[in-house]
Every structure is written in C-alpha cells, then in structure tokens.
Amino acid sequence: MQKNVGGLDKIARIVLGLGLLAFALFSDSPARAWGYIGLVPLATGTLGICPLYSLIGLNTCPAKR
C-alpha cells in the first residue's frame, strides 16, 4: 500500500490519537471506552496509510505517486 497521509495530517492524527487514549486510560467516566477509538488515528498517523483515504481517492502526502 502507498502512503497517503502527509505532514500536518499525520501530526494531527497522532496528537488526536494520543489524546483519546489518554482519556481512555486516565478517566473514570463511563464514556472512557470511546477513548480507545484513538488507536485508529494513532495507527494511521504512525503508518502514514489511511484505508478510507484510499477508498475515496484522497492523498495528503506530498510524495510522488
């Protein structure tokens, strides 16, 4: 699979993912389980590949195709 997540998008995904995971790990709220969804943006930001972007044909990576 080709990388399709670039610069600012990658940073935003990683920060969002870490924030959601921190909420899941350190919160006593009943909604804390929703924080584990932070694994998705964290993984896509770290790997640089977003399956949804592939499906809709979006590419934020500045690398040559």
Side-chain angles (χ1 to χ4, degrees), residues 34-61:
W34 285 100
Y36 289 109
I37 208 153
L39 289 171
V40 174
L42 183 62
T44 58
T46 303
L47 297 174
I49 299 168
C50 178
L52 182 61
Y53 275 13
S54 296
L55 286 174
I56 61 175
L58 190 60
N59 187 350
T60 61
C61 187

Side-chain angles (χ1 to χ4, degrees), residues 4-65:
N4 58 3
V5 177
L8 187 59
D9 192 12
K10 186 180 280 194
I11 292 168
R13 287 170 184 260
I14 292 171
V15 169
L16 177 68
L18 289 174
L20 286 169
L21 283 176
F23 173 72
L25 295 173
F26 300 115
S27 175
D28 289 334
S29 168
R32 72 184 249 174
W34 285 100
Y36 289 109
I37 208 153
L39 289 171
V40 174
L42 183 62
T44 58
T46 303
L47 297 174
I49 299 168
C50 178
L52 182 61
Y53 275 13
S54 296
L55 286 174
I56 61 175
L58 190 60
N59 187 350
T60 61
C61 187
K64 217 176 202 183
R65 293 183 187 182

